[in-house]
Amino acid sequence: MASIGKTAFVLAGGGSLGAVQAGMLAALCDAGTVADFVVGASAGAVNAGFFAAEPSLEGARAMGAAWRGVTRADVMPLTFGNALNVVMRRGYLFHNGPLRSLLERHIHYARLEDAAVPVHIVASDVLTGDEVVLSQGPVIDAILASAAIPGVFPPVRIEGRDLVDGGVANNTPISTAIRLGARHVIVLPTGFACALSRPPSGAAARAMNAISHLVARQLVADIEHYGAHARISVVPCICPNDVSPYDYSSCAGLVDRAETIARAWIEGGGLKGSGVVPEMLHEHRH
């Protein structure tokens, strides 16, 4: 079902780097920017679901406070049970129970259609790889499906389909927002760790870091491709960035830095531009 709105916030995935979107949203809301609907994938689905409950500066501040308190143990705890997942060859490293508990603490409406602003969560069908847009139904299940990184979290079964991370099909769903009626798409990317001193260690950390690079490359291609279909404004992300998407110890700093950068971008007329790809989204190192 297409939304009647014309301005969409599109929130990309990126693990712990999703914290930057709280700062971006605070800057956008403080500048009076209003979304008619929000679209999110993976970590961006977490933020989209949270923000849709209270799409305001107060809501963005609450999201920022939540991100400041998040630890890796809240999302991917290292437990004996998770170790058994590997031994038993269950196909994933972490149960999604801790993430479910985290979401339930912060998202207090039951169904997507109950949100204060329309919210669309992007997931992927395990069997076909097709994009699945969830606009109705249990909000927590939808977010868990969209955030289910293959091999890291288990798939989530919704309406007879096993669903995984929205990033498999469309991690920064600009095309989805346009298909839903957006004429101005404001993209909130998470970027990637361009200033790491050494490669991340551990399977999950390496996988998430690699995915963040793939996401950035696809986003650049999508901006160039869909620029003819809608006005696309891309909020610049943090650069240089030495925080891995698997590192949840630096979320407070990510929130603050992202808000400062977004405010400067808005004041410089960033929202008036279209199709401009921020330099930090191109592959580079420091």
Side-chain angles (χ1 to χ4, degrees):
M1 179 178 66
S3 171
I4 62 172
K6 297 300 180 185
T7 297
F9 288 169
V10 173
L11 286 71
S16 66
L17 301 184
V20 303
Q21 292 171 344
M24 293 172 175
L25 286 168
L28 288 166
C29 290
D30 200 34
T33 309
V34 176
D36 295 293
F37 63 96
V38 294
V39 184
S42 200
V46 175
N47 289 333
F50 191 119
F51 182 70
E54 189 179 355
S56 64
L57 178 59
E58 292 73 19
R61 292 286 185 226
M63 182 191 299
W67 271 106
R68 293 173 195 278
V70 172
T71 68
R72 188 187 300 165
D74 291 321
V75 183
M76 295 178 248
L78 299 176
T79 66
F80 178 72
N82 287 328
L84 278 179
N85 291 333
V86 178
V87 175
M88 300 298 290
R89 297 183 179 180
R90 289 175 175 148
Y92 56 89
L93 296 174
F94 301 100
H95 290 289
N96 62 15
L99 179 55
R100 178 182 287 276
S101 297
L102 177 66
L103 294 173
E104 289 174 345
R105 288 202 300 272
H106 294 290
I107 296 177
H108 301 138
Y109 62 101
R111 298 179 64 84
L112 291 164
E113 59 266 37
D114 296 333
V117 65
V119 55
H120 307 279
I121 302 300
V122 175
S124 306
D125 188 299
V126 168
L127 290 179
T128 66
D130 290 340
E131 176 183 13
V132 178
V133 180
L134 302 169
S135 305
Q136 296 180 330
V139 59
I140 301 299
D141 287 350
I143 294 172
L144 286 174
S146 183
I149 304 168
V152 177
F153 290 115
V156 176
R157 194 163 185 80
I158 296 178
E159 295 184 354
R161 294 178 294 188
D162 289 324
L163 304 181
V164 293
D165 197 319
V168 172
N170 201 350
N171 195 79
T172 308
I174 294 172
S175 59
T176 308
I178 293 173
R179 197 164 61 246
L180 289 166
R183 292 296 173 265
H184 185 195
V185 178
I186 301 175
V187 180
L188 284 66
T190 57
F192 55 90
C194 56
L196 290 177
S197 58
R198 61 180 62 88
S201 60
R206 288 195 296 269
M208 293 175 71
N209 188 63
I211 289 170
S212 69
H213 283 271
L214 291 172
V215 167
R217 291 177 183 175
Q218 186 59 50
L219 174 55
V220 170
D222 285 352
I223 293 167
E224 294 171 347
H225 178 76
Y226 291 105
H229 301 274
R231 182 154 63 98
I232 301 175
S233 303
V234 186
V235 184
C237 43
I238 291 172
C239 182
N241 175 29
D242 61 356
V243 179
S244 160
Y246 186 62
D247 177 7
Y248 287 83
S249 67
S250 303
C251 290
L254 293 175
V255 174
D256 293 336
R257 289 177 65 193
E259 182 173 351
T260 299
I261 292 168
R263 284 183 180 278
W265 174 77
I266 292 168
E267 291 169 2
L271 284 169
K272 298 177 182 177
S274 179
V276 178
V277 180
E279 285 298 320
M280 70 280 295
L281 288 177
H282 291 283
E283 282 295 330
H284 65 281
R285 289 195 58 78
H286 296 274

